[in-house]
Amino acid sequence: MVTDWKVFLGIIGVAVGWMLAVLTRYFEEVWFGASLKIDCHGIPGNKGENPDAIYMKFRVKNSNHHRVAKNCRAYLVELHKISNNKVISENLIADSFQLPWAGYDFEARNIPAKLSQYADLVHFSKHEPGWQFATKPWFYPSLAPLAEHRGTYRFTVLVAGDGATPATKNLFVDYDGNWKSATPYE
């Protein structure tokens, strides 16, 4: 009888030890890991311009005070048409697409503690009308009609990295056919 209790308590001890090890790792990442935040409205640099195009950007900030967010990548996970502040379409993309960091760079980036990096959401050419989506992989040919839309798109973006709490945000861009008036906001 005493042996049965010892075996039972040994099994309980192993189970509790295993659960504590798993939960400790989870809580360590949540409490002490890098924490990513996405924003674009009212920040400097939410629009970039070169001689040929204007870029709508969003900022990814590591709000942790001590940890680096390693190997971060940004993704477009949903795209919806908006009219009168209401969603008027189903998700227009069936896959996720990687978005480039500012400077058209698709490589993973480390974001040090309390610092930011910018990612390109979409751009508009001064010479060709329409939405210019720079993604990896490229938008499928079946998605080409999306570039002709005049109005608002809601982009759902996700940024994730090793040891970092991922961030998701809905961002909006208005475009009426004039590249100068395109505006990103939250």
Side-chain angles (χ1 to χ4, degrees), residues 87-179:
V87 175
I88 61 168
S89 72
E90 295 292 323
N91 183 12
L92 300 170
I93 57 175
D95 200 354
S96 63
F97 294 89
Q98 186 182 346
L99 296 168
W101 296 106
Y104 199 70
D105 181 13
F106 287 96
E107 295 300 315
R109 290 210 177 158
N110 294 339
I111 305 175
K114 297 181 86 177
L115 293 181
S116 302
Q117 293 284 321
Y118 284 81
D120 291 336
L121 188 57
V122 66
H123 68 277
F124 301 94
S125 171
K126 294 178 181 177
H127 309 292
E128 293 180 34
W131 301 76
Q132 307 291 315
F133 298 96
T135 61
K136 188 177 182 181
W138 288 104
F139 261 27
Y140 309 127
S142 63
L143 298 176
L146 297 178
E148 299 168 5
H149 176 63
R150 300 295 180 262
T152 304
Y153 276 133
R154 182 183 77 188
F155 296 77
T156 303
V157 296
L158 176 131
V159 179
D162 295 342
T165 303
T168 303
K169 186 90 169 189
N170 289 328
L171 304 174
F172 300 82
V173 176
D174 292 333
Y175 175 65
D176 62 5
N178 179 358
W179 64 272

Side-chain angles (χ1 to χ4, degrees), residues 29-91:
E29 285 184 14
V30 170
W31 287 338
F32 304 113
S35 181
L36 301 173
K37 306 281 186 230
I38 298 170
D39 59 2
C40 84
H41 186 69
I43 60 167
N46 68 353
K47 279 182 159 182
E49 192 172 339
N50 69 27
D52 296 318
I54 189 165
Y55 293 82
M56 304 298 112
K57 300 176 177 294
F58 62 94
R59 178 173 64 180
V60 179
K61 184 173 184 173
N62 179 359
S63 62
N64 186 284
H65 297 284
H66 306 292
R67 299 274 172 112
V68 174
K70 296 182 179 180
N71 297 318
C72 295
R73 294 182 192 271
Y75 297 92
L76 174 60
V77 295
E78 290 185 16
L79 183 66
H80 295 272
K81 287 182 182 178
I82 303 294
S83 180
N84 297 322
N85 295 325
K86 294 183 181 169
V87 175
I88 61 168
S89 72
E90 295 292 323
N91 183 12

